[in-house]
Amino acid sequence: MRHLLSIADLDVDVIEQVMTLTDSFVEVGERRIPKVPTLRGRTVVSLFYEESTRTRLSFETAAKRLSADVMTFSVGSSSVKKGESLRDTVQTIEAMGVDAIVVRHGSAGVPRQVANWVEAGGVRVINAGDGAHEHPTQALLDCYTLRERLGSLRGMRIAIVGDVKHSRVARSNIAAFTVLGAHVTLVAPPTLLPESLVGWPVEVSHDLDAELPKVDAVYLLRMQQERQTEALVPSLREYTACYGLTARRAELMADGAVILHPGPMNRGVEIAAEVAECPSSVITRQVANGVAVRMAVLFLLLAAEGGDVADE
Amino acid sequence: MGKAVLVIKGGEVLDETGRRRADVAIGAEGDVVGVGADLDGNRVIDAGGCLVTPGLVDLHTHLRQPGREEAETVESGSRAAALGGYTAVVAMPNTEPAIDCASVVREVIELGAKALCDVTPAGAITRGRAGVELAPMAEMAALGVHLFTDDGAGVQDARLMRRAMEYATSLGVTLGQHCEDESLAAGGHMHEGEWSSRLGIPGIPALAEELMVWRDIALSRLTGAPVHFLHLSTAGSIELVRAAKAEGLAVTAEATPHHFTLTHAEVVGYDPLFKVNPPLRSVEDVVAVKAGLADGTIDAIATDHAPHAQETKEAPFDEAPPGMVGLETALALATTELGLPVEAVLTLLSWRPARIAGLAAEHGGPVAVGRPANLCVIDPTATWVVDPATSASRSRNNPFAGRTLTGRVRHTMLRGEPVVLDGEAQR
Ligand SMILES: [Zn+2]
């Protein structure tokens, strides 16, 4: 694997490899000093055009636990000059002799473009979320979290609920869940589904109450305020009434079924506050596993062949 | 026969009257002075194995001057046009300032006087292309403007478009529409469908184009004004135009080479080279465009040559401007990809667009004594590989780089002046 741009590029073996590596890094994370020297001397840059403190910190923590040097470029700071083109910024970073660039951008496809521009130089690119396209490390940590609770994903039924149309998390997770053998049902009003689902290995439902008793996991997507002004839903109140995971609806789920959310949550919109805290919720596990999964990805992309994960 | 200063020798003349082996003699005034066997002149230009045809006419060229000279100028764009076999291009009015009044029309005409092909400006329908009030169409028509369009955008307001069409009937001009309903297209960056959904790029539905095609057909029926549909890209649009023509309405249409060669699947790598408006559509749409070109529903191939400076295309897909260059590849894409006889290809590239542009007196007409020698000499069997680095355009946003094409322009004559010889611009 040269870059991590999209789950759609990955086969099942690579995902399994990330899962296995993540096991080791979870173990590292539980040590008194949760750090290994694997990437000593390597430099990882986080290039965030979209503010996302949680994702950025998760990547930077992962890189530091692998002993890599970390540089941060963010649009809020002066390090990305106003008006400087994306390509110029990437060239500047590449010229610093970095080993990996972790890119977050509001436009779909930017990590792919960055990967093309650095192709000659050997720099690795990791997609930390691009527009409505993909967020592959989120999907990998979601798969890992589901496996912790459910064992294998094979044959599991997972409902992804909400704004699939605008969701990079949904696109990555649909690819990841289905390649690992789960059945995915999208539950949303038609206005929040992609215009075309040709080639998507999913079923579609507009009735959350009917789906909840059947699923092993329900994945709630973040619902944004703007969707109301774009006339995609009449109001957030109506959205919650039809598609929110309220306490009443959570009761419909089978014993052992789990609730996921990529964060940050709009409590009271797509998920009720008490549901987010209930025993079925694995939302805090998702955050905790994020660092270990990202360590696994950095290890796969940057560590020498056959390097030992937990040496020292 | 008048005295020939130049003879195009050994070729086969091809125009709308047919094909025949003949030399073409050109006089000192730049007119054709002889068409026949074994003609002599002071200077001989070899056309062995080649077709000698009327020069090509592009209904849709963005020359970017005034205002965006870093992307193209009238001079550089006209050089690319001449290399592509064009002897006339219609310069789109979405310049800065827009070609929306006599003074800007005059400026472009003056720049065009020194160009390597005839440059005839299209005028804007509305002031500043803002879609709010009519531009002074009569004052522009008086300077020879024949085609009016707000290209880059469609005239959104149906009432304003109706008035423009009514007004146009008194001037004998044609309104060209970039058909795109903004309420449906807003925020979109590629064709809405399988690929936009997968790639997470907001889409532009086919319906955004088709709604305006339908509306303007209805307005043409109401007003009697001719309307020319720019760059049709969807199967639905073409079906609407086919029905309008069957009804006898005064509608004409063009399609671009990229809409008969490329689909939305090209966007898979997020390269803004493949961002264009109207967007690259589905395979079914490409098939419909080809069928429309074959059966005459679409009257002309137009390039929508849209140069953009390199750095603007090295941006995120949704931030990059739409458009691709096309003047140097249009003929060869048509001969290579359409599967039509070369006569049909030239009908689409020369004589029909010449008529739509109001340029038939000078361009596209038969290769005959007394006509201006605006000619193109084509080697129909030459095979070449598209290399944007060698383009005469100031811009390099060519999505066909590396493609092997068959059919190449060898010489281009502008009123008897060889502006291109053996594939090289002469000035
Ligand atoms: Zn246009």
Side-chain angles (χ1 to χ4, degrees), chain A residues 101-183:
Chain A
I101 305 178
V102 178
V103 191
R104 158 76 69 115
H105 202 289
S107 300
V110 164
R112 164 77 59 194
Q113 291 176 289
V114 171
N116 290 341
W117 294 331
V118 301
E119 200 51 48
V123 178
R124 308 306 179 106
V125 179
I126 298 169
N127 179 0
D130 62 329
H133 177 224
E134 282 225 30
H135 191 354
T137 58
Q138 177 71 46
L140 293 169
L141 74 88
D142 291 333
C143 290
Y144 189 81
T145 304
L146 280 168
R147 283 163 48 123
E148 277 185 328
R149 286 291 279 266
L150 303 175
S152 164
L153 268 67
R154 185 150 302 282
M156 294 292 144
R157 304 193 63 88
I158 304 173
I160 298 178
V161 183
D163 187 5
V164 177
K165 189 210 264 297
H166 300 93
S167 176
R168 51 189 170 221
V169 172
R171 283 178 182 74
S172 285
N173 268 328
I174 290 164
F177 294 164
T178 54
V179 80
L180 292 176
H183 302 289

Side-chain angles (χ1 to χ4, degrees), chain A:
Chain A
M1 185 163 67
R2 172 75 194 267
H3 307 291
L4 178 60
L5 304 177
S6 149
I7 295 289
D9 299 340
L10 305 184
D11 58 29
V12 88
D13 294 343
V14 175
I15 297 177
E16 291 292 351
Q17 202 181 354
V18 173
M19 300 290 111
T20 308
L21 281 166
T22 303
D23 282 335
S24 321
F25 288 119
V26 165
E27 185 269 312
V28 168
E30 285 159 358
R31 293 182 192 171
R32 194 174 53 81
I33 300 169
K35 196 162 177 172
V36 288
T38 320
L39 296 185
R40 189 173 286 155
R42 304 299 195 94
T43 303
V44 175
V45 175
S46 60
L47 176 60
F48 274 53
Y49 280 85
E50 233 183 28
E51 205 39 68
S52 171
T53 309
R54 3 183 338 139
T55 305
R56 184 171 56 75
L57 284 179
S58 180
F59 269 108
E60 292 180 0
T61 304
K64 284 174 182 161
R65 287 187 177 177
L66 292 165
S67 303
D69 296 319
V70 174
M71 291 198 296
T72 306
F73 275 67
S74 68
V75 272
S77 74
S78 56
S79 49
V80 175
K81 274 186 271 151
K82 283 222 168 22
E84 184 179 59
S85 80
L86 176 64
R87 178 149 199 187
D88 287 346
T89 302
V90 169
Q91 273 171 346
T92 304
I93 291 171
E94 194 184 11
M96 292 170 180
V98 306
D99 298 286
I101 305 178
V102 178
V103 191
R104 158 76 69 115
H105 202 289
S107 300
V110 164
R112 164 77 59 194
Q113 291 176 289
V114 171
N116 290 341
W117 294 331
V118 301
E119 200 51 48
V123 178
R124 308 306 179 106
V125 179
I126 298 169
N127 179 0
D130 62 329
H133 177 224
E134 282 225 30
H135 191 354
T137 58
Q138 177 71 46
L140 293 169
L141 74 88
D142 291 333
C143 290
Y144 189 81
T145 304
L146 280 168
R147 283 163 48 123
E148 277 185 328
R149 286 291 279 266
L150 303 175
S152 164
L153 268 67
R154 185 150 302 282
M156 294 292 144
R157 304 193 63 88
I158 304 173
I160 298 178
V161 183
D163 187 5
V164 177
K165 189 210 264 297
H166 300 93
S167 176
R168 51 189 170 221
V169 172
R171 283 178 182 74
S172 285
N173 268 328
I174 290 164
F177 294 164
T178 54
V179 80
L180 292 176
H183 302 289
V184 173
T185 302
L186 307 180
V187 187
T191 48
L192 294 179
L193 290 170
E195 287 83 3
S196 166
L197 288 171
V198 170
W200 293 47
V202 297
E203 287 169 55
V204 171
S205 164
H206 309 302
D207 185 350
L208 183 56
D209 285 1
E211 295 304 316
L212 285 172
K214 298 188 275 186
V215 300
D216 300 290
V218 58
Y219 198 107
L220 303 163
L221 299 170
R222 184 175 157 75
M223 183 63 191
Q224 287 177 324
Q225 183 71 48
E226 306 91 271
R227 305 309 171 216
Q228 188 177 326
T229 48
E230 292 161 7
L232 292 167
V233 291
S235 69
L236 291 186
R237 198 167 146 268
E238 180 157 310
Y239 175 80
T240 304
C242 298
Y243 296 96
L245 191 63
T246 58
R248 177 191 69 77
R249 286 210 174 97
E251 295 288 315
L252 300 173
M253 294 174 66
D255 289 343
V258 297
I259 299 163
L260 298 94
H261 189 296
M265 286 180 279
N266 294 309
R267 289 170 201 262
V269 181
E270 67 270 4
I271 187 166
E274 62 266 41
V275 174
E277 312 298 336
C278 78
S280 304
S281 164
V282 294
I283 297 168
T284 51
R285 275 312 291 166
Q286 289 174 275
V287 178
N289 289 333
V291 173
V293 162
R294 290 173 176 123
M295 288 172 80
V297 167
L298 287 166
F299 179 88
L300 258 185
L301 292 178
L302 290 177
E305 292 282 301
D308 187 358
V309 174
D311 50 1
E312 198 169 74

